[in-house]
Amino acid sequence: MIKVAKFGGSSVADAEHFRKIRAIIEADSSRRFVVVSACGRRYKSDAKVTDLLYLVSAHVRYHVSCDDLLADIGQRYFDIADELGLNYPIREEFAAFAEKAKAGDLSTEELVSRGEYFTAQLMAEYLGLPFLDAADVVAFHHDGTLSMTRTQALIQERGIPGGFVMPGFYGATREGRIMLLDRGGGDISGSILAKCLDAALYENWTDVSGFLSADPGIVPHPQPISRITYSEMRELSYMGASVLHEEAVFPVMEAGIPIAVRNTNRPEDPGTIISDREDFVADEPIITGVTGKRNFVAVHILKDHMSNEVGIVRRVLSIFERYRVSIEHIPSGIDSFAVVVQGEDVKDSLWSIVADIKTEVQPDSIKVVDDLALISTVGRNMSGRPGISGSLFAALGQEGISIRMIAQGSDEINIIVGVRDEDFERAIRAIYSAFSDGDHLLELKDLKRAEAAAQPGVGI
C-alpha cells in the first residue's frame, strides 16, 4: 500500500514542525513518498519563504539590493539545519544560489522554486529518504502546461521504489527550464505524484483538521466535515473554502484515489476524506457546507420578446469573451437575463462592455448591480429532497435579507444565492442555522423523521 504525504508551508515552517513530520512518517510504514512546500509562516506576522523569494526577484529586476532579504531567507534554513544537526551543506548551497540570484542569472521561476528545493533537501536527510528533484520528473510543455503523460513516464523511470522526498510547486521542460504551477501548486504536485504511483491514498497535511462546514470567523464553532465528494470539495473551494488547491483534485479524481486532509499539529484528528463515494448515510448532515465570496457584478439585460430572438445570449457572452472575462452565472427570465462576473475581472472594462452590449444587442434596458455577494450551500444529500431550498429562503427572509439572484447546478448539489455585500456574513449565519440544531448540523435521519411526522395520521 502506498500513501503520498504532502506537507504544506505551515507544516514545514521550522525545526519543530520537521520533528512533527518525522513522527507522522514513522507512525505509518506506507508513508514513504513525501512532497513538501517551501517554509511557511512560523507565526502570524511572519512571511512565507515563497513570498520573500518573489520579493528578491522584484528587487533584482529593479536593481535594488536584496542582501537583507536573502540573509533572512538563508537564516530560516540554517536554523532548521543547525537545530536538527543536519549535514546537508545548506550554507554553501544557499550562498551559491544567492550569488546567482543577485547577478540576475536565474529566471523568476527558478529563483522562486529554490524555496521548495532547499526545504526538500533538508527534509530528505532528516527523514532518511532519497531526494528526487521535481525538475527531473514533473514535465512541462513550453507553453507552461503540464505534460501528464511524460510526467508519469519519468516518475516510473526515475522514481525510487522505496520512497523519496520531492519538492512541490515546480517542474521543468525537456531543456531544463524551470516552470511553476499555480500558487498553492504543491497540492497539485502531491496529487500528480499520487496518480503516477497509483497510490491508495493522497494525504494533504496542513494546519487545520480538514474542511469545516463554514468559516469559523463567521459561524462560531462550525462542524468539521468528515466526508466529502470531489464535486462538493470543488464547489466549496471555488467559492472560498481554501484548505486545498481546487486543481489538486483532478489527477487523483481521475484515478479514483481518495484525499485525506489532515492536521500536522493534531495528527490524531480524523480530518476530512475526499472521495467519489456519493452514497447516502443516515447520520450524515443534510448540507455539507456553506461558503461564499464577495465582490461580484451582475449586468442585467432586458429586451421585450427576447425569448423569440435567436442568439441574443450568445452575442452578449461573446462581448464578455472579447474582454477575456469569465462568466460565473447566467440567471434568466422570459425577457431578461443577467451575466454575473467577478468584480475584479471587470474593474477596468465594465463600462466598455456595457457600451458594446448597447451597440451590438440594443436591449430595451441594461442595469449594472455591483456589491453583490454569492453564497453557496453545498451538499450531495440535498439532491432530490423537497423543502431544502424552501428552508434556505425562509431563513434569509426571517432575517430580512433580500435575495438578488438564485442559481443551482444541474447536479443539484449546490444552491447559490446572491445578496448584498453588507448582508454576506449575516446570510451565511442564517443559512447555517437553518440546517443546525445549535450544536450540530441536521442529519438525513432528522429530515426523514420530520417527513414521516408530516404524513397524514402520523404523530397524531
Side-chain angles (χ1 to χ4, degrees):
M1 180 181 181
I2 293 175
K3 292 180 181 177
V4 170
K6 187 268 173 179
F7 293 91
S10 61
S11 298
V12 295
D14 53 26
E16 181 58 32
H17 281 86
F18 271 55
R19 293 188 183 98
K20 292 177 181 180
I21 289 172
R22 187 159 76 174
I24 289 167
I25 298 301
E26 291 177 348
D28 188 337
S29 60
S30 58
R31 293 180 184 131
R32 304 296 294 168
F33 298 90
V34 179
V35 177
V36 294
S37 294
C39 300
R41 292 189 182 96
R42 293 160 294 183
Y43 41 85
K44 192 171 183 180
S45 60
D46 197 15
K48 299 177 182 179
V49 163
T50 298
D51 291 339
L52 295 176
L53 288 168
Y54 271 114
L55 273 176
V56 169
S57 178
H59 280 53
V60 171
R61 188 163 60 251
Y62 293 106
H63 308 289
V64 177
S65 173
C66 55
D67 289 343
D68 290 345
L69 277 172
L70 286 167
D72 288 345
I73 296 167
Q75 196 61 50
R76 295 281 297 270
Y77 292 108
F78 306 159
D79 288 346
I80 292 170
D82 292 347
E83 189 171 335
L84 300 178
L86 302 179
N87 294 317
Y88 177 73
I90 183 62
R91 283 175 171 81
E92 294 84 350
E93 291 291 323
F94 192 86
F97 154 71
E99 286 305 312
K100 286 184 178 180
K102 288 189 288 186
D105 294 340
L106 302 176
S107 67
T108 296
E109 290 81 5
E110 184 169 4
L111 192 158
V112 171
S113 73
R114 296 308 86 180
E116 277 75 11
Y117 177 86
F118 288 127
T119 305
Q121 287 280 12
L122 296 178
M123 185 65 72
E125 181 184 343
Y126 189 60
L127 296 181
L129 291 170
F131 169 83
L132 179 66
D133 194 350
D136 294 333
V137 291
V138 179
F140 279 84
H141 299 295
H142 283 280
D143 63 359
T145 58
L146 187 72
S147 172
M148 196 67 204
T149 302
R150 189 160 167 266
T151 297
Q152 189 145 12
L154 288 171
I155 288 176
Q156 294 299 325
E157 174 190 336
R158 299 176 183 176
I160 299 97
F164 52 79
V165 175
M166 185 183 87
F169 189 36
Y170 72 91
T173 63
R174 286 181 184 274
E175 290 74 25
R177 180 186 168 199
I178 298 294
M179 306 286 275
L180 301 179
L181 294 159
D182 292 338
R183 285 300 297 264
D187 292 345
I188 304 174
S189 299
S191 182
I192 290 166
L193 183 60
K195 179 179 180 179
C196 292
L197 294 174
D198 193 23
L201 181 66
Y202 169 39
E203 293 183 327
N204 193 284
W205 293 84
T206 180
D207 57 358
V208 295
S209 298
F211 281 84
L212 295 174
S213 50
D215 182 345
I218 298 174
V219 175
H221 311 297
Q223 184 170 315
I225 300 171
S226 60
R227 187 169 73 93
I228 188 173
T229 65
Y230 293 121
S231 297
E232 290 173 305
M233 178 262 164
R234 281 271 297 156
E235 293 284 349
L236 289 172
S237 292
Y238 184 75
M239 287 298 290
S242 57
V243 173
L244 183 68
H245 195 297
E246 61 189 73
E247 297 299 322
V249 168
F250 288 112
V252 289
M253 181 174 68
E254 291 168 357
I257 299 168
I259 304 172
V261 181
R262 305 285 299 275
N263 190 339
T264 306
N265 302 309
R266 295 179 57 88
E268 69 279 3
D269 289 355
T272 299
I273 291 289
I274 308 167
S275 73
D276 58 1
R277 278 184 55 201
E278 296 187 0
D279 50 310
F280 302 112
V281 180
D283 61 356
E284 286 190 331
I286 299 166
I287 67 167
T288 301
V290 185
T291 188
K293 285 183 185 177
R294 290 182 165 98
N295 192 30
F296 288 89
V297 172
V299 179
H300 292 266
I301 293 142
L302 172 67
K303 191 170 187 179
D304 287 341
H305 308 295
M306 186 184 75
S307 59
N308 297 326
E309 185 174 339
V310 176
I312 186 171
V313 175
R314 176 189 56 77
R315 296 205 304 276
V316 170
L317 296 185
S318 69
I319 293 169
F320 280 91
E321 182 181 9
R322 185 186 308 156
Y323 288 88
R324 304 185 66 80
V325 176
S326 295
I327 308 301
E328 298 291 328
H329 299 284
I330 313 174
S332 63
I334 298 297
D335 291 324
S336 67
F337 67 98
V339 179
V340 181
V341 298
Q342 294 195 39
E344 184 67 20
D345 291 348
V346 293
K347 65 179 182 180
D348 299 321
S349 60
L350 177 59
W351 298 109
S352 296
I353 291 170
V354 169
D356 286 356
I357 292 172
K358 287 180 178 178
T359 301
E360 298 176 31
V361 180
Q362 297 182 338
D364 294 327
S365 73
I366 184 167
K367 181 175 70 171
V368 174
V369 176
D370 55 11
D371 296 326
L372 180 69
L374 297 187
I375 297 168
S376 182
T377 304
V378 177
R380 64 189 176 279
N381 293 326
M382 299 192 306
S383 179
R385 297 188 182 277
I388 301 297
S389 57
S391 298
L392 190 156
F393 300 147
L396 294 176
Q398 288 166 8
E399 288 293 317
I401 297 170
S402 174
I403 300 174
R404 308 174 80 182
M405 189 204 89
I406 301 169
Q408 184 174 38
S410 58
D411 54 5
E412 296 185 56
I413 68 165
N414 71 331
I415 299 171
I416 296 172
V417 294
V419 301
R420 293 182 180 86
D421 264 347
E422 64 191 44
D423 292 330
F424 178 72
E425 294 191 3
R426 201 156 55 94
I428 287 179
R429 285 191 289 269
I431 294 170
Y432 188 90
S433 296
F435 297 96
S436 169
D437 62 7
D439 294 319
H440 303 284
L441 287 173
L442 297 176
E443 298 174 348
L444 279 176
K445 59 188 178 186
D446 301 318
L447 181 63
K448 289 174 180 175
R449 258 197 308 270
E451 289 171 347
Q455 295 297 318
V458 177
I460 298 176

